[in-house]
Amino acid sequence: MAARGRGASARWAAVGLLVAVLVALPSVVAALPADDADAPAAELRAAVLASEDVGFSGYAVSAGGLALPVSERLTDVADLFSDRTLMRVWWRGPAEHRVDVVSGAGETGVHRDPGGTWTWDFEAGTATRGTPASLALPAPPDLLPAALGRRLLSEAADDELSRAGARRVAGRDALGLRLVPADAASSVGRVDVWVDPASGLPLQVEVFAEDADLAALDTRFLDLDLAVPPADVVAFTPPPEATLLTAPDTEGLIAQAEERAPDVRLPRELAGLPRRSFEGVPDAVGVYGRGVTLLAAAPVPGRLAGGLREALTASPDAVTDELGTRVAAGPLGLMLVTPPDGPAYVLTGTVTLDALADAARRLPGAAS
């Protein structure tokens, strides 16, 4: 047993060294000159959106500075946006890929297939099966530069886009594409997407809050091979000794929101943002906005509202008034609304604190 422990320690010590080397690379590579090209912003965006089926493999790192005041149930999500996450990826397509999160303490792999995902925790020996959902919690694959870049540019208007020069990313020339959201409620100052002109793949994505000099979220490739990886590298079959688990059903959790507020009907617009439609989402849960400016509203039970209020008020920048308590973490706003008549609500999204307050006033039963 001791020998096995020494072997595992040595293995993860080597991994830790690899992590340190890879994370140090971007600043060295970025200092090299890059060749720009005369590619219009709209053309570059079209290339990005067409890159979903481009196969590749490599290493990426995501660094976030968002200290989210969340409960213990969402610590994995909070860590994604507040820590540095090193990922190794093999991408055959949107429904067939693998993303391993690598750290000095262990390794967790997310394997995507047409039926859902397997999450393999090597150290714990657990294999968790998840199914696709219309609304799901963020996972490491969502923070890959290629996936995040396509997502953020998917609903951008032409007049929100401009070129932003060029830089070197992962040893390649990358063309800059800047998105400045036009919605008045948006708390995002700009999004810079650095694109490989040959494949259309986003190589780096930086998200900045309004008037911020440092990115609240920065995800980039460190190393990239533009070749389709073998299918057997992406596929996953749980080992015989693995403990099999089932991921929480997010659609079931959403349905519980309607049980908490069966008679609540959210307005068609909040903070000047139109409501979006998602199949299977009840009237008591609303998602508003487009592109990088999004706002979500959902009722919460009293037992969770108390813990969330405590977490929010612990922030020195929290604002508490008759509407509730709200706080900003970079471009992400979070608010607990406690109407005098009706259920408590959580509002969260990439909107300003003023926009959160305006949305709170329009919720059913809210204070005027």
Side-chain angles (χ1 to χ4, degrees), residues 273-361:
L273 303 174
R275 187 171 183 175
R276 303 173 67 106
S277 297
F278 291 96
E279 185 178 352
V281 177
D283 289 338
V285 176
V287 180
Y288 299 80
R290 64 172 181 88
V292 300
T293 307
L294 293 173
L295 172 65
V300 292
R303 65 181 185 279
L304 294 182
L308 181 57
R309 182 184 298 105
E310 183 178 346
L312 291 176
T313 54
S315 170
D317 298 322
V319 176
T320 300
D321 54 23
E322 71 280 0
L323 296 171
T325 302
R326 55 194 180 273
V327 67
L332 187 66
L334 184 63
M335 181 174 186
L336 177 66
V337 184
T338 51
D341 301 308
Y345 264 85
V346 167
L347 295 172
T348 185
T350 48
V351 298
T352 64
L353 292 185
D354 287 343
L356 287 176
D358 180 66
R361 293 185 184 94

Side-chain angles (χ1 to χ4, degrees), residues 65-67 187 208-210 216 328-333 351:
L66 305 180
S187 56
F208 294 83
E210 191 70 42
L332 187 66
V351 298

